[in-house]
Amino acid sequence: MLAASGRPCEFGLKENRLVSRPESLSQLFRSLHSIKGVGDKLAALLARFFGAPEGQEAIALDILMHMPSGVVDRRRQVGIAEAYLNQIVTLRLHIDRHQPPPKGKPHIPHRVFAHDETGDVQLVFFRAQGGWVERALPEGEERFVSGQIGFFNGEKQITHPDYIVEPDKFETLPLVEPVYPLTNGLSSKALSKLVRQVVETIPPLPEWAGEHILQERKWPTFAHAMKSVHLPASPEEAELWAPARMRLAYDEYFAGQLTLQLIRSTMVADRGIARTFTGEITERVRQALPFSLTEGQQKAVDEIRADLQSPNRMSRLLQGDVGAGKTVVALMAMAAMAESGAQSSLMAPTEILAAQHFKTLKPLCDLVGLGCELLTGKMGAAERRTKLAGIASGQTTIVVGTHALFQSGVEFHNLGLTVVDEQHRFGVHQRLALSDKGKHTDLLVMTATPIPRTLVLTHFGDMEVSILREKPRGRQPIDTAVLSIGDYDRVIARLRARLAEGAQAFWVCPLVEESEHLDVVAAEDRFAELQKVFGDQVALVHGRMSAAAKQEVMQRFSANELKLLVATTVIEVGVDVPNASIMIIEHAERFGLAQLHQLRGRVGRGTQRSACLLLYKDPLSETARARLDTIKSTEDGFEIAERDLELRGQGDVLGTRQSGMPGYRLAVPDVHRHLLDFAHDDAKDLLSRNPGLSGPEGEAARTCLYLFRKDLAIPLIRAG
């Protein structure tokens, strides 16, 4: 990767060619510390603020990519008489007199009385010490003052004006001023000054968008767009839908799409194996299934088979709503792989989920004669040795586990297919690393988080996509109700009656704070309360328990030895207890839509009608109410995902804020979503026309990749 310190770093490419970052970009990759006025303290603050890697400093590019959140318009230059409450105005004032606070009463403000030919105004300063107010506003002189008009005791006033400038320095007052997100210790004045210095050093850049695109869409160049956004002449220039911001959003999407296309070409190009199948094992699996495949499942199986038969490497995303039957599709793929003489691995994000998959797959594998083993990090040494020997000899055809599958020491006889569950937790780098375990491994990734099309393009543009929309036959609809926690006693009475009839229930408590410890306390408090009512019929499971302890509780619940399971969100993904028909989610207003949908999907898996109860605590914010209404009104995960995107923005929907996957700095998906399609098509066209990104066109595209920190893609550019 590029050093954030701004030093170019070199990469070995095919044919030992070396590329380094273009020299023309060095100004933008220099440390902010090297800019006049940035001392050690500010440099350290900026490094933290912009998230520079450990031991490195923020660079000029960080400032450039830090977009304003709004604009203050100071162009309203009127007389005091026409300055109205809460307006931001710029006034030319004659300073009459000062009224400092009485000695020993620092809480009383320093007032400055001023006038123009239309009226009077007071300028108010709290805790103004050191005589700077007197120096800035000398009695008898004129000054331009800009700020927001307020009223106090019937008098117009401006409290702490934003700008005070002498008449001959009027041009230094920014009449249109971008407002930036700040951090404690960083003033908007200091940041604006830095922005101005950096914008002026943008070098001439080759045009990657293509002249015809700029003309057609009436977009400025990259440098001009940056200037319009950071130093706008009018508020309209900096709007999210203005040509400048559209251009920059497109550039960010284009860099991302180009990266994904390069990864795709690396993964699939001449490195796959064209598999041949006998159809025997898959037919035995089909016969062994207690149900027939849905149309969607059959279509996904056919798409996967076609991928496996092609000489290119498969890289496919299987999206299926909660309970849509992705595991069966994966089993059909792994059975086909076994027919071709190769092994498969299924990797899950947690041991609970790995065990769950194993429990589903093992009986079917035994019936059809496939060796299937579970490998986790918690196994004893002897058991682990035996399992590793089976994997290395090829006796084990299907291996299920966590990321421990990809640690050194696990040697496959002939790994042909890697299946990854809950893909959104794995970024682009992990996809590349996973596929390298087997030399020509095909990759199938599954997610139960329905992902809106925008985000599929953004994060998985390097993958083909199969979607399972229908629920398997026999799945019961889930009745969803929303209730205030004030109805707790009624809820308990109803729950007691249902459990007495033989039902089982989940009771989920949220992460109340960031601290895992408090999360446990919240669940433990509720558990203690419920224990008073349900005694030893209730148990608790949370993230701080050992895997073995969690497993034991889950097994007892699955075996119907427990009636009520109090849990934190550890049960969000993949827990399968068909007899559980009631889901109670406490503090439902604290959960995201995708999480609520996932949790609700833990019930409705058996034959009886299921219910989900969302308990909230007043007062509800508008967003929280919208979330709860959405969950109540639909079970369609794709509809829920689109709504989630509208309510929360793309970084949260995939949990990317936590997982380090790319959020956007310049593009705002709600406004710029349509540009993603353009960027996707343009990146695809460019690589089909010029796969080696050579010549001036290729140099321009590489420049774009460097500017958006997509350096990981540079070594993937294929020679020629």
Side-chain angles (χ1 to χ4, degrees):
M1 293 293 286
L2 256 159
S5 60
R7 288 189 297 278
C9 58
E10 298 191 323
F11 293 107
L13 267 69
K14 292 185 182 178
E15 300 172 12
N16 297 322
R17 291 178 303 149
L18 284 173
V19 293
S20 59
R21 191 177 60 235
E23 192 52 47
S24 60
L25 296 180
S26 56
Q27 281 285 57
L28 297 179
F29 281 86
R30 67 192 164 135
S31 159
L32 288 175
H33 210 158
S34 68
I35 293 176
K36 193 176 173 215
V38 180
D40 295 350
K41 196 173 165 190
L42 183 55
L45 179 72
L46 291 166
R48 278 199 309 279
F49 184 45
F50 291 123
E54 195 69 34
Q56 296 183 359
E57 294 183 327
I59 58 173
L61 194 59
D62 289 320
I63 289 279
L64 213 51
M65 299 292 183
H66 187 57
M67 291 285 107
S69 53
V71 169
V72 176
D73 187 354
R74 302 188 185 284
R75 292 174 304 170
R76 187 167 166 75
Q77 296 175 57
V78 292
I80 293 169
E82 292 169 67
Y84 305 122
L85 181 65
N86 293 333
Q87 270 187 344
I88 289 175
V89 294
T90 299
L91 306 173
R92 183 170 185 148
L93 299 178
H94 183 273
I95 310 303
D96 298 325
R97 65 186 178 89
H98 285 254
Q99 184 183 301
K103 272 201 166 32
K105 296 200 173 171
H107 60 283
I108 293 177
H110 182 125
R111 291 185 180 275
V112 181
F113 297 86
H115 76 276
D116 67 9
E117 59 271 22
T118 71
D120 299 316
V121 71
Q122 294 178 24
L123 309 176
V124 179
F125 301 87
F126 286 89
R127 298 196 177 274
Q129 287 145 357
W132 68 267
V133 177
E134 288 87 347
R135 289 194 295 278
L137 296 160
E139 288 181 7
E141 292 196 21
E142 289 203 336
R143 290 290 183 269
F144 278 100
V145 174
S146 188
Q148 190 174 31
I149 292 286
F151 269 89
F152 182 72
N153 284 346
E155 302 283 336
K156 286 183 183 177
Q157 63 177 31
I158 298 177
T159 303
H160 289 279
D162 300 320
Y163 288 92
I164 301 168
V165 299
E166 294 158 34
D168 60 344
K169 293 192 180 136
F170 178 71
E171 72 285 350
T172 65
L173 196 157
L175 291 177
V176 179
E177 183 184 26
V179 179
Y180 294 91
L182 299 168
T183 185
N184 197 13
L186 179 62
S187 73
S188 61
K189 291 247 171 75
L191 187 60
S192 299
K193 190 177 167 192
L194 266 177
V195 165
R196 194 173 286 274
Q197 286 170 283
V198 171
V199 168
E200 281 160 9
T201 63
I202 300 175
L205 298 168
E207 185 49 74
W208 52 85
E211 290 302 330
H212 64 289
I213 289 178
L214 299 195
Q215 281 169 12
E216 193 182 302
R217 298 177 196 160
K218 299 187 171 50
W219 284 351
T221 62
F222 176 84
H224 190 92
M226 277 292 180
K227 195 165 186 180
S228 296
V229 168
H230 287 298
L231 308 172
S234 71
E236 294 72 36
E237 264 192 55
E239 294 282 17
L240 288 175
W241 45 87
R245 196 64 187 269
M246 288 283 193
R247 161 74 212 245
L248 297 177
Y250 167 85
D251 291 341
E252 187 168 32
Y253 282 146
F254 179 70
Q257 290 302 306
L258 195 52
T259 301
L260 288 171
Q261 293 296 327
L262 284 165
I263 287 168
R264 177 169 177 72
S265 66
T266 305
M267 296 235 341
V268 302
D270 53 58
R271 285 171 62 185
I273 291 174
R275 308 278 173 185
T276 50
F277 309 118
T278 62
E280 278 175 42
I281 304 177
T282 42
E283 193 44 47
R284 291 209 297 269
V285 170
R286 197 184 291 276
Q287 297 297 327
L289 290 172
F291 47 79
S292 52
L293 297 180
T294 64
E295 247 177 78
Q297 285 174 316
Q298 188 54 56
K299 184 168 182 265
V301 167
D302 293 343
E303 287 168 343
I304 290 165
R305 277 179 80 93
D307 282 358
L308 297 178
Q309 283 170 318
S310 116
N312 289 335
R313 234 166 142 186
M314 175 169 80
S315 181
R316 184 171 284 277
L317 175 70
L318 176 62
Q319 279 201 82
D321 208 342
V322 178
K326 295 177 297 297
T327 311
V328 170
V329 173
L331 175 58
M332 293 295 278
M334 295 190 285
M337 196 46 85
E339 291 171 2
S340 78
Q343 295 166 295
S344 300
S345 64
L346 193 162
M347 181 170 128
T350 64
E351 297 210 346
I352 281 190
L353 190 48
Q356 180 93 41
H357 279 308
F358 180 66
K359 190 176 140 194
T360 307
L361 296 172
K362 180 69 173 163
L364 288 164
C365 287
D366 287 350
L367 273 175
V368 303
L370 285 174
C372 178
E373 293 292 355
L374 176 67
L375 191 68
T376 65
K378 301 278 193 294
M379 260 166 200
E383 187 186 4
R384 188 176 171 79
R385 268 199 304 278
T386 309
K387 293 200 173 180
L388 289 178
I391 296 167
S393 70
Q395 191 184 339
T396 299
T397 317
I398 295 174
V399 189
V400 182
T402 59
H403 55 84
L405 288 181
F406 288 89
Q407 287 163 354
S408 53
V410 183
E411 290 302 326
F412 288 87
H413 175 65
N414 173 16
L415 180 62
L417 172 65
T418 300
V419 181
V420 181
D421 197 14
E422 285 311 307
Q423 159 65 17
H424 65 279
R425 298 170 191 227
F426 300 93
V428 161
H429 302 71
Q430 287 91 327
R431 296 218 276 280
L432 284 172
L434 282 177
S435 315
D436 287 342
K437 191 77 181 178
K439 206 63 201 132
H440 305 279
T441 318
D442 290 294
L443 183 62
L444 175 67
V445 291
M446 314 192 291
T447 178
T449 306
I451 305 169
R453 186 171 175 281
T454 317
L455 301 192
V456 168
L457 269 186
T458 308
H459 299 291
F460 313 110
D462 56 319
M463 310 186 86
E464 297 296 335
V465 181
S466 295
I467 295 179
L468 303 179
R469 281 190 181 271
E470 334 99 297
K471 292 248 168 81
R473 290 181 191 91
R475 270 293 160 91
Q476 296 292 322
I478 302 166
D479 300 319
T480 304
V482 179
L483 263 186
S484 163
I485 192 73
D487 288 313
Y488 179 76
D489 292 340
R490 253 176 70 204
V491 172
I492 292 298
R494 184 81 190 101
L495 183 59
R496 182 187 262 155
R498 288 297 307 276
L499 298 191
E501 291 163 9
Q504 282 180 282
F506 293 103
W507 190 301
V508 177
C509 300
L511 262 151
V512 176
E513 301 279 66
E514 289 298 327
S515 147
E516 185 67 18
H517 180 63
L518 282 171
D519 159 25
V520 174
V521 172
E524 279 181 344
D525 286 352
R526 179 54 68 217
F527 170 60
E529 284 298 309
L530 291 168
Q531 221 175 9
K532 291 174 191 169
V533 182
F534 298 103
D536 58 7
Q537 286 189 305
V538 58
L540 172 69
V541 61
H542 59 69
R544 293 190 74 199
M545 290 162 69
S546 69
K550 273 189 291 206
Q551 196 69 38
E552 194 226 339
V553 174
M554 290 307 304
Q555 270 161 356
R556 287 182 61 213
F557 188 59
S558 291
N560 206 355
E561 292 168 25
L562 297 167
K563 289 294 182 191
L564 180 58
L565 186 67
V566 180
T568 56
T569 52
V570 291
I571 63 142
E572 178 191 338
V573 172
V575 174
D576 192 10
V577 182
N579 192 52
S581 58
I582 300 165
M583 168 62 70
I584 297 170
I585 304 172
E586 188 168 351
H587 276 305
E589 77 279 2
R590 289 175 179 259
F591 291 94
L593 263 176
Q595 241 184 345
L596 289 171
H597 179 60
Q598 288 278 348
L599 289 166
R600 176 171 62 183
R602 299 300 113 225
V603 296
R605 291 166 169 252
T607 48
Q608 71 263 55
R609 188 109 187 176
S610 291
C612 174
L613 184 56
L614 306 173
L615 292 177
Y616 66 87
K617 188 176 178 189
D618 278 319
L620 273 184
S621 70
E622 261 179 66
T623 308
R625 188 171 294 284
R627 276 206 297 270
L628 298 184
D629 287 347
T630 300
I631 284 289
K632 190 172 178 230
S633 63
T634 181
E635 278 188 65
D636 182 330
F638 290 91
E639 196 182 314
I640 287 167
E642 290 291 348
R643 188 81 182 99
D644 204 9
L645 187 63
E646 286 165 31
L647 289 172
R648 292 204 295 167
Q650 64 96 34
D652 286 319
V653 172
L654 291 181
T656 57
R657 302 242 156 95
Q658 289 73 41
S659 70
M661 275 173 69
Y664 290 114
R665 299 177 76 178
L666 313 189
V668 176
D670 287 358
V671 180
H672 302 131
R673 210 174 289 188
H674 64 291
L675 297 173
L676 188 55
D677 286 323
F678 292 153
H680 177 73
D681 295 345
D682 293 347
K684 213 168 177 175
D685 288 352
L686 172 62
L687 280 178
S688 61
R689 189 173 69 240
N690 185 352
L693 292 187
S694 54
E697 179 186 53
E699 185 201 339
R702 290 168 193 242
T703 301
C704 180
L705 289 173
Y706 277 115
L707 280 173
F708 287 93
R709 311 280 185 81
K710 300 293 183 188
D711 325 18
L712 78 122
I714 303 274
L716 305 179
I717 298 166
R718 288 155 61 210

